[in-house]
Structure formats: C-alpha cells, structure tokens
C-alpha cells in the first residue's frame, strides 16, 4: 500500500468538499481566539486519519510528522487503542470517576509502573492530575515545595514546561516581571550549536554543570536553597536539544548532594520517543519526580506525576481536578504503553531516528543554510540559519558556515568547530561567568572559543514548512526564533514512510533555499513571505 493511502473507510464528514474546507477555515478564523497557532500555518481540515496518514476534507493526504505534538506514539487510530476504547464503552463503565479506584485505572497504573526506572518504580507514588501536561508540572512544583518547605526553583534556558502560571514561570520564555518567575533561578542548558560558553562539546557541558554547582554553593549567588530542579532530557520547544548524558548525571549528583528534588519533564520525550522508554533511561538517571502526559494517554488527555514515596506529604485535596479520572484515556494509555513495551518500539525509534539523522546530515553538507541537524530517536530538529546575514563575533572570531551536529553523549563533534551565538537580547553566560580566570587573566577555554553561529532564519523555516505542506508533509517549527524544523513521527512509521518523509523534506528545503536565493539576506519574521507561527505545544 502506498504511503499516502488510507485503507477503505467510511467518510461521513465531507463526502464532497465543494468549497467546504475554505468555509470551515473562514469560520474558524472569525470565531476562534487569536491565540490559535497550528491552524495559522497548517490550513487543513482533517476528517480522517490512520497511522501517520491524515486526509483533509478536500481529499488531500498528508504524512503527519506532528503527531499531535508528540501525543500519538502509535499514530492516529491505532487498532490497539481503538479496541481498548471500545472495550470501555461496551462495558458501560463510568467514563469519569474523579480519583476513585477502578479496574481500568488499576491496569493503567500497573502498566505505567512496569515501564518506570526500576529504582523509582519500587518506591513510587502516582498523582493523577488534570488532563494536560502543564497541570502535572504545576502539581510537581507544588509537591516539591510542600515536601521541602522551600519556595525557589532551578530551571533552564530554552525550557518549555507549559502555559499555566507556574509552568510558564519555569519556561525559558517566561515574562521577566511575572510574579511566579521571581523565585526561579535560570541555569544554562548545554546547547552545542550555540554554546552559552562559546566552546561546545564536552567542555561546554562541563562548564554548564560547573556554573550550576558554583551558583548553588555561593552564599551571594542569588539562588537560595531551592525546592527543586526541573529539566527536560531533550528540550523540545527549545529546538530539539538533547541533554548530554554525562551532564544529566552531573545534575543528578549535584541535586542529590544538596537534597534538591530533581524533576524530569518527560511530557514530550516519554513512551519511546527518544529511543528509550523514558529519555532519562539513556543516562541511567533516576529522578525524584517524573512529569508525564501526551503519549501516556494513547492520544487522549491524561497527565500524571510519579514521585518518590517520601515526598508524598501533602494533605488530601492538595492537588485536584474534575477530569483526572478519564477512563477512556487510561484504557488507551495502558494499551499504548503495553504495545510500545512488548513490541520494542523504543528500540525501533532509535534505529529509524538514527537513519533519518544520518541522511539529513549528509544532505546538510554544503548547504550553509542548514546550521545543525540533531535529535534523539524520533525527535529530530533541523536548525536553519542565514549565513550571509552577518554574525555576532568576538575579537579574532571569524564567521563560518554550517557547523557539525550536536552529539547527545556530549562528545566533541568531528572538527571541533560547532559555532556559538547568544540569542538576541540575551547576555551570554560566558560573559557573566563566575568561574575563575586562568593564569594570565584569560577566560576559561579562551583558546578554544568557537566561531559564532549565523543568525537564525525563521522566515526560511516558515517557507520550508509551507513547501512541506504542498508536498503532503506536516512538520512543526520550534527553537529560540522558530527556526528549527521539528519532526515527531509516530513510533510506528514504516521504512517506506521514512523515505517518503525524507524525500519531501529535503525537496522542500532545496526549493525554499533556491527561492530565498543564495545571496539574499534573511527577512525578519514580520517581513517573511510565510510568517512563522507562534511555537509551543500548548499543554
């Protein structure tokens, strides 16, 4: 069966489009909030879907590499998910039960605990939250503050944890004047391509860990003993940036030595997405708290917090929500977790993702508009840049073209020339570094400073997204300036579909680069022919 074909299915939504698609889109624009995001860049009206194929009301078919912002681990309408949902419906079980115990909930909890890091599973408690990941983040922050009696929080540049007040305060784009943000201390996240210390590789990760440790031990550092540290093992909305395994282990050591609970936000990285069942499994780290949502509900709304039993000190009702007893989501989630585990889909994601990264990296060679290709498993990012638009360089630092790819095991990439550039408006942590200078008064690793990366190219990324859509491929944008093409295909993607995705993406990249012109300057987002949408998975 061709990759863009759906099996025979009854189509009752729009038997003949007859202009219905445009009418639906017009009514959406008139009636829905200005905060809508995906609908702006993806003017399609899905009416049916199977696996990673989506059919619009106009009859066009698309390969979906958005997957509900990563919520559809098995793709659309997988048979095991549909069977689980039908079984609950046919049983006449209640569909919403608040936090009462049910056989469906018990089965989901059994399956969830079977997948957790063993050390955590053996002493874990689970809190069922409201149905969105952001509510689970709020619960996790409330939990560690209650358990420790402290208020402060350690979070990271580039982070995204949700859109409610506390989760947004912990995110990299939080308003500086927000009340909730006042207690958050921001730490540098290892970002090899745009290393905040200008060195990248293993040394850049070491400096990021050293910064965190020294800041916590400095009585004048401005970071009083915090209630917890929250991080993403792979930053998704931040631009698909894998945390180096060694750095993540160092964060575990630093927090454990200071009795600071470590919170791993696995909302997007969980359930096999990165090539391991949970992204922390790559490093062997066992966090104190795990925040889980998206794929754990099998595509239906579900969110939980799993944590060490000694943190379970809050009183009844300390965190609640009407829709935390979604039986359909629990049944779909248990079926999804079991199917991923029993069929080794995490390992499959590692294999397929590695093959996709390898081909994209070969394609990027000689195309300076592709600054970096990185990812882990089936969580892939392609960062686009404007190499001809000028650089923010220091003394003796010359501009360069495309840099090497980031390595999630935080080894130096071949050639050791990963570029760096501080985001516009940000102060480079290197410039404000508290580290001691080396003999002679030079900054640490001054002799290893890397060349500055070209500016981000959000208009080019938006054009690529539109070219992909014209070719029947749905992709997401992300990163600091919306300049990263993000791929989140389902774990069930076939070899044939993998090649089709890569063919369409590389063709769209070449078409957009040609249109932009090799010597044209990157347009600012407001002047771009395809204005980039606001990014974010809106948990």
């Amino acid at each position: 069966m061709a990759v863009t074909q759906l099996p025979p299915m009854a189509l009752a939504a729009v038997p003949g489009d007859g202009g219905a698609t445009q009418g639906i889109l017009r009514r959406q624009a008139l009636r829905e909030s200005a905060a809508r995001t995906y609908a702006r860049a993806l003017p399609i009206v899905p009416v049916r879907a199977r696996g990673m194929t989506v059919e619009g009301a106009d009859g066009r078919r698309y390969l979906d590499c958005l997957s509900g912002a990563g919520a559809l681990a098995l793709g659309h309408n997988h048979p095991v998910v549909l069977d689980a949902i039908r079984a609950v419906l046919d049983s006449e079980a209640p569909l919403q039960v608040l936090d009462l115990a049910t056989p469906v909930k018990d089965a989901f909890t059994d399956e969830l605990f079977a997948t957790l890091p063993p050390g955590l599973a053996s002493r874990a408690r689970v809190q069922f939250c409201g149905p969105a990941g952001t509510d689970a983040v709020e619960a996790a922050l409330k939990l560690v503050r209650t358990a420790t009696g402290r208020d402060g929080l350690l979070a990271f540049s580039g982070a995204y944890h949700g859109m409610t007040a506390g989760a947004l305060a912990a995110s990299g784009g939080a308003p500086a004047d927000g009340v909730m943000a006042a207690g958050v201390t921001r730490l540098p996240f290892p970002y090899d391509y745009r290393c905040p210390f200008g060195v990248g590789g293993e040394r850049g990760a070491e400096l990021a860990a050293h910064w965190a440790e020294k800041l916590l031990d400095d009585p004048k550092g401005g970071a009083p003993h915090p209630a917890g540290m929250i991080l993403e093992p792979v930053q998704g909305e931040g631009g698909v940036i894998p945390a180096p395994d060694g750095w993540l282990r160092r964060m575990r050591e630093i927090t454990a030595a200071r009795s600071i609970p470590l919170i791993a936000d696995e909302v997007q990285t969980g359930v096999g997405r990165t090539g391991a069942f949970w992204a922390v499994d790559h490093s062997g780290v066992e966090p104190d708290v795990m925040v889980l949502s998206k794929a754990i509900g099998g595509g239906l709304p579900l969110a939980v917090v799993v944590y060490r039993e000694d943190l379970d000190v809050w009183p009844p009702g300390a965190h609640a929500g009407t829709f935390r007893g979604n039986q359909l989501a629990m049944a779909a989630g248990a079926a999804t977790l079991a199917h991923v585990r029993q069929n080794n889909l995490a390992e499959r994601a590692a294999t397929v993702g590695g093959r996709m990264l390898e081909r994209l990296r070969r394609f990027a060679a000689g195309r300076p508009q592709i600054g970096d290709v990185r990812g882990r498993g089936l969580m892939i990012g392609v960062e686009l840049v404007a190499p001809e638009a000028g650089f923010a360089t220091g003394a003796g630092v010359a501009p360069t073209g495309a840099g090497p790819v980031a390595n999630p095991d935080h080894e130096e990439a071949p050639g050791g020339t990963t570029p760096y550039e501080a985001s516009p408006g940000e102060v480079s942590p290197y410039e404000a570094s508290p580290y001691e200078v080396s003999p002679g008064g030079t900054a640490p690793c001054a002799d290893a400073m890397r060349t500055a990366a070209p500016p981000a190219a959000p208009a080019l990324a938006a054009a690529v997204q539109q070219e992909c859509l014209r070719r029947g491929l749905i992709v997401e944008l992300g990163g600091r300036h919306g300049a990263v093409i993000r791929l989140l295909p389902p774990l069930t993607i076939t070899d044939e579909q993998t090649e089709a995705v890569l063919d369409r993406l590389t063709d769209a990249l070449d078409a957009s680069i040609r249109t932009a012109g090799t010597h044209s300057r990157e347009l600012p987002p407001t002047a771009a022919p395809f204005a980039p949408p606001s990014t974010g998975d809106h948990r």
Side-chain angles (χ1 to χ4, degrees):
M1 181 167 56
V3 295
T4 56
Q5 287 183 345
L6 287 164
M9 298 168 63
L11 181 57
V14 185
D17 185 46
T21 295
Q22 293 304 313
I24 291 171
L25 293 174
R26 281 194 301 270
R27 288 189 291 276
Q28 180 187 39
L30 288 171
R31 298 187 293 200
E32 289 192 24
S33 165
R36 67 190 186 281
T37 55
Y38 299 111
R40 294 179 183 276
L42 303 172
I44 60 177
V45 179
V47 294
R48 66 172 185 168
R50 179 70 60 84
M52 74 174 299
T53 304
V54 172
E55 182 175 314
D58 59 359
R60 291 198 65 196
R61 293 187 173 95
Y62 304 86
L63 291 177
D64 183 7
C65 279
L66 177 56
S67 301
L72 299 168
L74 304 182
H76 297 273
N77 293 316
H78 194 282
V80 303
V81 173
L82 297 182
D83 288 346
I85 293 172
R86 289 190 186 104
V88 174
L89 293 174
D90 292 344
S91 73
E92 298 185 358
L95 301 184
Q96 280 292 341
V97 295
L98 301 173
D99 64 355
L100 299 177
T102 70
V104 173
K105 185 179 190 178
D106 190 52
F108 171 81
T109 305
D110 283 347
E111 189 58 49
L112 176 64
F113 274 47
T115 68
L116 295 173
L120 179 59
S122 64
R123 53 191 179 127
R125 294 288 185 271
V126 59
Q127 167 73 23
F128 288 82
C129 305
T134 191
D135 187 64
V137 169
E138 298 285 352
L141 301 183
K142 186 185 297 182
L143 172 72
V144 297
R145 284 170 172 146
T146 301
T148 64
R150 303 189 292 264
D151 292 325
L153 181 70
L154 300 173
F156 289 88
S157 58
Y160 178 78
H161 298 292
M163 295 299 289
T164 50
L168 184 61
S171 299
D177 58 350
V179 175
M180 294 294 293
V184 177
T185 299
R186 202 80 52 192
L187 300 172
F189 192 88
Y191 183 179
D192 192 43
Y193 183 63
R194 300 185 186 274
C195 175
F197 302 99
V199 295
E202 183 174 357
R203 182 57 176 156
E206 288 173 356
L207 288 173
H210 187 66
W211 174 291
E213 185 172 24
K214 290 301 183 182
L215 186 67
L216 287 173
D217 292 342
D218 183 352
K220 297 291 186 179
H225 202 191
M229 172 188 284
I230 185 168
L231 56 77
E232 300 159 276
V234 180
Q235 289 192 342
E237 305 305 313
V240 191
I241 306 171
D245 290 338
W247 175 86
L248 194 54
R249 287 189 288 268
R250 191 76 189 103
M251 292 302 101
R252 173 69 286 186
E253 293 168 1
I254 289 170
T255 52
R258 293 159 180 79
S259 299
I260 301 170
L262 178 63
I263 305 167
D265 181 343
E266 292 253 18
V267 168
Q268 190 168 102
T269 56
V271 195
R273 169 61 56 192
T274 68
F277 207 98
W278 307 107
V280 293
D281 293 340
H282 291 289
S283 61
V285 163
E286 291 185 350
D288 303 299
V289 183
M290 292 178 68
V291 179
L292 313 175
S293 187
K294 288 192 186 292
I296 67 163
L300 298 182
L302 185 63
V304 302
V305 181
V306 179
Y307 52 90
R308 290 192 341 251
E309 59 186 358
D310 58 289
L311 295 173
D312 195 31
V313 299
W314 48 14
H319 197 83
T322 300
F323 294 104
R324 65 192 189 277
N326 187 335
Q327 298 295 281
L328 293 180
M330 292 177 190
T336 297
L337 294 171
H339 191 78
V340 171
R341 178 175 56 83
Q342 294 166 3
N343 292 277
N344 301 314
L345 292 188
E347 291 82 354
R348 163 79 177 163
T351 300
V352 175
R355 192 161 68 240
M356 294 178 77
L357 283 172
E358 181 182 3
R359 179 171 163 187
L360 287 170
R361 288 166 177 169
R362 290 200 309 267
F363 176 80
R367 291 176 172 86
Q369 295 86 354
I370 302 176
D372 196 21
V373 178
R374 55 182 178 260
R376 204 156 203 179
L378 289 175
M379 194 170 180
I380 295 171
V382 179
E383 182 164 350
L384 302 182
V385 298
E388 70 289 338
F391 302 84
T393 58
V397 181
T400 187
V405 297
N407 189 320
D409 297 317
H410 88 99
E411 298 172 354
E412 185 90 358
T417 56
T418 303
Y420 158 76
E421 180 202 34
S423 298
E426 294 181 354
V427 176
S428 165
Y430 180 87
E431 296 170 352
S433 173
Y435 311 140
E436 301 80 16
V437 297
S438 59
T442 59
C445 278
D447 58 340
M449 286 293 288
R450 294 185 175 186
T451 53
L460 177 59
V464 171
Q465 185 182 47
Q466 294 304 306
E467 289 292 343
C468 284
L469 196 64
R470 293 188 184 105
R471 289 159 175 78
L473 177 63
I474 298 172
V475 298
E476 166 68 312
L477 300 183
R480 302 303 207 272
H481 305 286
V484 178
I485 305 296
R486 298 176 58 209
L487 302 178
L488 292 166
L491 311 188
T492 53
I493 185 173
T494 67
D495 290 343
E496 185 184 11
Q497 289 170 333
T498 299
E499 292 306 310
V501 166
L502 293 171
D503 287 344
R504 296 177 193 188
L505 175 58
T506 54
D507 188 47
L509 282 163
D510 266 345
S512 301
I513 290 170
R514 284 196 305 270
T515 300
T518 56
H519 299 293
S520 66
R521 296 176 64 87
E522 165 69 1
L523 295 172
T526 54
F530 302 100
S534 300
T535 56
D537 59 11
H538 302 275
R539 299 178 184 177

